[in-house]
Amino acid sequence: MRGRRELRYAAHIEATEDEAARRSALSASMVSDRALRLAVAAVALAGACVAGYLTYVHYRPAALVCTGGGGCETVQESSYADIAGLPVALLGLLAYLAVLGLLAWDTELARTLAATIALGAVGFAIYLVSVQAFVIDAWCVWCLVNDLVIVPLLAVSTVLRVVRPR
Amino acid sequence: MASQPRATPPSGAGPRNRNLLIAAAGAAIVVIALVAASLLLRGGDDDTEAAPTTGTTVSPSTLLDGIPQDRAVLGNESATVTLIQFEDLQCPICKRYQEEGFPGIVEEYVRPGKVKVRFSGLAFIGPDSEKALLHVLAAGDQGKLFQFADALYQNQGAENSGWVTDGLLERISGELGLNWQKLQKDADGPAALQQANSMASEAEQRGVPGTPWFYVQVGDGVPYQVRPGSFEIEEFRQILDDALSGS
């Protein structure tokens, strides 16, 4: 009799712990998604600022000066800075703005599209860094900040939003 | 009795993985399209990427014909307004200024005798800058500093790629009708080096951060820095008209 009561008591405790764990996981998942959403917004905004600056100096070359340490002007003046007349920096700016728009929409499809853009940006960033290293033989610091820091961060945060439970 | 975490199948994991696969596939298509477009539709003629080592043609510009030159100063010596240009012959932005901004300034302000331009060459990008600068200054001894600089910009190669070859300098010298032996001697002489050092000192004293960098001097006044928003003639028109109206 006593043994059966202990068993029931243990089962009750287990059920309660499971429920608590489930609620805690659900709560943590919600908080994490909110934090991820903020992270995507912050990274996309930072990327938009960098891409916006690079677009500005593309159209206003007088804003750029050659300095001893940097090859930014060489990269910006290179033929690889344009695709069919459109500055690569402008494409980047449009991509960041698209991610911000998709963040506001925030459906499953929007998350998938944002991850598509971010993963595509990673692949293109690898190509652009390779071009700087092996073809142009000059480094643009702001391009590297974008390609090696902002784009990977954006990819990680957007992919996490796709794979995490909602 | 310790409770064991139950292995419950995550709800929606399948669709989420499917979405990730869709995103990855879409991204792969985007990357392939962008890289192909970049390789096939890239802009410009890439004249800064290949060092012109042989067979380069120099087309002497007629822009400067008939305009007086006194070493590093172009234009009417009695013009009260001077545009001072700090430039490095390897700098691609300087090349862009030379192509987009300089011709309009020459035609509208220098040729009519309203403004004179002072070349102030720097050599901070690398060895090719120094070699180019010393030869440009030496060309100044034969009255063609600005033509020589223009020809070098036309043939500008990738930074520090060794594009300023003796062959290129000799071809430019020949096209401009200069005495190549004298040019070489002057470029290696103390006067050109002293002039280059003097320009570098002036840049350091003024805190010039890079090139192209501009100052305007009215009469014997203190030169003041100007920052054109673009190399369009409209930008320089405003700057130079202001200076002329105050002179």
Side-chain angles (χ1 to χ4, degrees):
Chain A
M1 190 67 181
R2 187 175 180 179
R4 199 181 295 167
R5 252 206 323 270
E6 277 178 355
L7 202 62
R8 272 209 304 273
Y9 182 60
H12 172 72
I13 288 175
E14 192 173 325
T16 309
E17 284 178 349
D18 274 2
E19 179 64 17
R22 196 182 65 79
R23 285 183 182 175
S24 167
L26 185 66
S27 164
S29 162
M30 287 169 69
V31 170
S32 294
D33 188 62
R34 186 161 175 259
L36 272 176
R37 200 173 175 204
L38 283 174
V40 172
V43 172
L45 269 177
C49 289
V50 172
Y53 166 72
L54 291 171
T55 305
Y56 173 75
V57 296
H58 186 95
Y59 285 116
R60 303 291 295 261
L64 200 61
V65 292
C66 294
T67 56
C72 206
E73 66 288 341
T74 305
V75 175
Q76 283 279 321
E77 291 293 297
S78 145
S79 66
Y80 290 89
D82 279 325
I83 295 179
L86 277 179
V88 170
L90 178 61
L91 294 178
L93 177 62
L94 293 175
Y96 285 119
L97 294 178
V99 169
L100 286 171
L102 292 166
L103 201 61
W105 185 17
D106 203 30
T107 61
E108 197 172 333
L109 175 62
R111 288 177 181 216
T112 306
L113 284 174
T116 304
I117 292 172
L119 288 173
V122 169
F124 196 53
I126 291 170
Y127 163 75
L128 291 175
V129 171
S130 305
V131 166
Q132 288 180 68
F134 302 116
V135 181
I136 305 172
D137 197 21
W139 297 102
C140 161
V141 174
W142 284 112
C143 307
L144 291 179
V145 166
N146 181 68
D147 296 340
L148 299 180
V149 180
I150 298 175
V151 166
L153 281 176
L154 188 72
V156 169
S157 51
T158 52
V159 166
L160 278 177
R161 294 202 75 218
V162 170
V163 296
R164 281 185 73 90
R166 300 189 68 177
Chain B
M1 184 177 178
S3 68
Q4 297 295 317
R6 286 183 189 168
T8 52
S11 60
R16 285 198 299 274
N17 289 339
R18 192 196 62 204
N19 288 346
L20 185 58
L21 277 175
I22 292 170
I29 293 168
V30 168
V31 172
I32 290 167
L34 283 174
V35 171
S38 170
L39 293 172
L40 298 172
L41 305 173
R42 62 203 173 101
D45 53 5
D46 253 353
D47 47 4
T48 61
E49 283 156 32
T53 50
T54 56
T56 319
T57 55
V58 179
S59 51
S61 167
T62 55
L63 176 72
L64 303 172
D65 288 357
I67 300 175
Q69 275 186 56
D70 182 10
R71 289 181 179 269
V73 177
L74 174 75
N76 179 5
E77 64 175 16
S78 60
T80 50
V81 172
T82 307
L83 176 66
I84 304 166
Q85 336 181 130
F86 284 91
E87 48 194 294
D88 186 312
L89 294 146
Q90 283 207 88
C91 167
I93 309 292
C94 297
K95 173 187 164 79
R96 194 150 170 179
Y97 161 70
Q98 181 74 15
E99 292 169 351
E100 296 177 6
F102 186 65
I105 294 169
V106 169
E107 286 300 340
E108 282 195 33
Y109 293 93
V110 179
R111 187 173 292 283
K114 295 190 276 188
V115 170
K116 56 182 182 277
V117 172
R118 174 152 70 86
F119 170 89
S120 214
L122 302 178
F124 60 84
I125 292 179
D128 279 324
S129 305
E130 189 178 338
K131 189 173 181 181
L133 176 59
L134 291 174
H135 282 82
V136 162
L137 295 176
D141 286 346
Q142 299 184 48
K144 290 202 170 168
L145 180 149
F146 285 86
Q147 284 92 336
F148 207 97
D150 184 56
L152 276 172
Y153 280 127
Q154 284 181 43
N155 289 276
Q156 192 183 69
E159 288 178 8
N160 300 323
S161 61
W163 64 277
V164 185
T165 61
D166 288 345
L168 174 65
L169 294 167
E170 189 175 0
R171 271 198 302 281
I172 292 173
S173 171
E175 292 281 352
L176 296 176
L178 302 178
N179 180 331
W180 169 236
Q181 277 72 34
K182 176 175 165 40
L183 189 81
Q184 274 185 304
K185 190 178 163 200
D186 290 343
D188 292 337
L193 187 62
Q194 191 181 359
Q195 201 179 357
N197 287 337
S198 165
M199 289 170 172
S201 298
E202 185 189 355
E204 192 176 345
Q205 183 200 334
R206 296 193 188 287
V208 172
T211 57
W213 204 254
F214 303 95
Y215 289 85
V216 166
Q217 183 177 28
V218 180
D220 293 329
V222 178
Y224 56 90
Q225 182 191 313
V226 292
R227 291 294 311 270
S230 74
F231 296 143
E232 301 294 321
I233 186 61
E234 289 77 16
E235 290 279 335
F236 286 96
R237 210 174 269 150
Q238 194 176 345
I239 288 167
L240 296 174
D241 285 347
D242 283 352
L244 286 165
S245 64
S247 63

